[in-house]
Amino acid sequence: MKRRTFLTTATLASAGLSTLLISSCVDTKKNEKQEATDDSVEAFELEEETISNLREKLASGKYSSEQLVQMYLDRIEAIDKKGPKLNSIIELNPDGLSIAKALDSDMKAGRIRGILHGIPILIKDNIDTADKMQTTAGSLAMVGNIASKDAFIVKKLREAGAVIIGKTNLSEWANFRSTQSSSGWSSRGGQTKNPYILDHSPCGSSAGSGVAVSANLCAAAVGTETDGSIVCPASVNGVVGIKPTVGLVSRSGIIPISKTQDTAGPMARTVSDAAILLSALAAVDPEDAVTLESKGKAQKDYTTFLDVNALKGKRIGIEKKPQGNNKIINEVLDGAIKLLKKQGAVIIEIDYLDKINAFGQAEFEVLQYEFKDGLNNYLAKSNAKVKTLKEVIDYNNTNEDKAMPYFRQETLESSNAKQGLNDPKYLDALAKSFEGSKKVLNAVFKEHQLDAICGITMGPACSIDTIYGDRWGYSLTTPAAASGYPHITVPCGQAYDLPVGLSFFGTPYMEGELIGLGYAYEQASKKRLKPVLKASFL
């Protein structure tokens, strides 16, 4: 879960259309002479390579999977562990090279496992792997937790032939620990940095996944989201992120927050790569009942929706109220709207955000109840030394100097104080947030006959502040998150030298259509810019 305004104000109303000062996030001064932080960083042979290109080069023999893995490992050493020290990787897979070597042997023998055969992938450190890597959600309390079996999506990745080369850092406990957290910081992994301007936030909670993809440390990565945790780091790190419909991708074997809102999803440099990765992830899992709803609705190959003309004739809804009063961000949105129209889209002004934002407190209530229930169930079956949320809290209190050097754990504590999922307060909050959000979106889609709703995903990244926490401005993550609906974000420009994403979201299992819209916009705009690794904005 990303840094959310309701964690400090208990309401989303101020986050939706407020005029929160963007200056709290970035300095409006610009130093035209700002150099990259480390001139010694060498050009990278695999820079901006796509999955499709890598597959072709593997098939032709230009590269072996073992060579690809080694090149990405060298890149990680050069700029993630040394040089700029992006700190996006929390742990490397000690068996990565041997796995790649075995896949090379399979390829030579004509045994192609799937669409990701030999492709190096990173996954978030809240996803179980039954190998030598830990699963900790970034928490020191979870150190030593090596899963007994792969998460279902890890199983699907391995079946598709992916080489999981490591795990990415995240906002600890998926940013459900404190009201003053710093996105991308965890007690186990430290602070991840934004690769565009290093003293700025990578957002979260899938911070490491977003940064690693943007900085070319892997071919693509997997993140998870409760509210904004894929699309926010994708937006502020200049990459593509897809938050699928809840039910399209399994959650079993993933450290949970919310059974209502949690999902895993792809993060990649192109819409095409994100579609390939989603094709590998989407499947019915008997251990996650909600995935049964996707039967007959999921697609085997989401790349079939990659159409440069997908925007033509589509009715796209955009909130009629301005997204704050920042001139630069509004200019980015205006430019995106003009391009959408040029590509044949019909723009419809709609009024829906105030209604969604009114459910903010109810959403937070739901997440607290479900976090306690889900985490206790996960820990009870895990190999972690802590077996309940209460034991996590106690561990942090006992090891305060290392576990909580900057901010506290009031969200863990408030969640632990909740009753069970039969509590009338929980059921009432669930009806307001989940059902209420769906009702609002369904009504606006029907009334205006929309194909999608669009808008700026997030304002540009705020400065890293481990003491007082994040200070975000505009956010468009909640409508799709609270309802469980699909959401894609695509790079659409920069504000203050920091990336800004454009969101498209729709009704359940519209991933294919949203991929088409995102792809058409991406190909017409070409707004993805490589990170420059500036040390600071000034």
Side-chain angles (χ1 to χ4, degrees), residues 129-141:
T129 53
D131 50 24
K132 296 175 183 175
M133 292 187 289
Q134 304 173 70
T135 305
T136 69
S139 171
L140 289 177

Side-chain angles (χ1 to χ4, degrees), residues 133-192:
M133 292 187 289
Q134 304 173 70
T135 305
T136 69
S139 171
L140 289 177
M142 294 289 286
V143 168
N145 179 43
I146 296 180
S148 299
K149 68 175 184 177
D150 285 338
F152 184 82
I153 62 169
V154 171
K155 177 184 174 184
K156 299 304 293 183
L157 288 171
R158 296 197 203 278
E159 288 175 355
V163 184
I164 299 173
I165 61 173
K167 293 192 176 183
T168 56
N169 195 25
L170 68 161
S171 311
E172 187 172 322
W173 292 114
N175 221 3
F176 211 66
R177 198 191 98 177
S178 173
T179 59
Q180 290 184 275
S181 62
S182 172
S183 287
W185 183 91
S186 71
S187 57
R188 180 183 171 217
Q191 179 66 57
T192 299

